Amino acid sequence: MSVARRPLLTATAAGTLLAALWFVPSANATVDQPPAGQDRAAPRVSAEKQAAAAPIALLAETGGVDTTPYLAGGIAFLGLGGGMVAFAVRQGARGAL
């Protein structure tokens, strides 16, 4: 492999890592301040009453569990990583001759 390609491969690997991290969800599931219109002095509902009122398990307040983007992104990056490994092995075998 030529020396000029190393920075390009490093930049590609860094870009791939950043793109993979794009799919990591944030952990900001709590609200620091109540939404406008809610009174802070209003009595809080107990955890048991909230659990009884919740019909199904939801992720934060997003509505539902949709894992399609994570599966598609994971499969795409798995394929990209496998391709990069195959390319590196092929280039290594070519350089050993």
Side-chain angles (χ1 to χ4, degrees):
M1 174 182 341
S2 73
V3 178
R5 287 192 183 177
R6 283 191 186 160
L8 180 62
L9 289 176
T10 303
T12 302
T16 302
L17 179 64
L18 288 175
L21 290 176
W22 184 277
F23 288 97
V24 177
S26 69
N28 298 329
T30 59
V31 178
D32 293 335
Q33 298 176 359
Q38 279 191 351
D39 185 16
R40 287 181 181 234
R44 299 234 176 224
V45 179
S46 70
E48 292 96 17
K49 288 183 182 177
Q50 282 183 342
I56 58 172
L58 301 176
L59 288 179
E61 303 227 357
T62 60
V65 181
D66 182 19
T67 58
T68 305
Y70 301 106
L71 287 174
I75 290 170
F77 284 112
L78 184 64
L80 184 63
M84 292 176 85
V85 167
F87 178 75
V89 169
R90 184 175 168 203
Q91 291 297 320
R94 187 181 284 175
L97 293 176

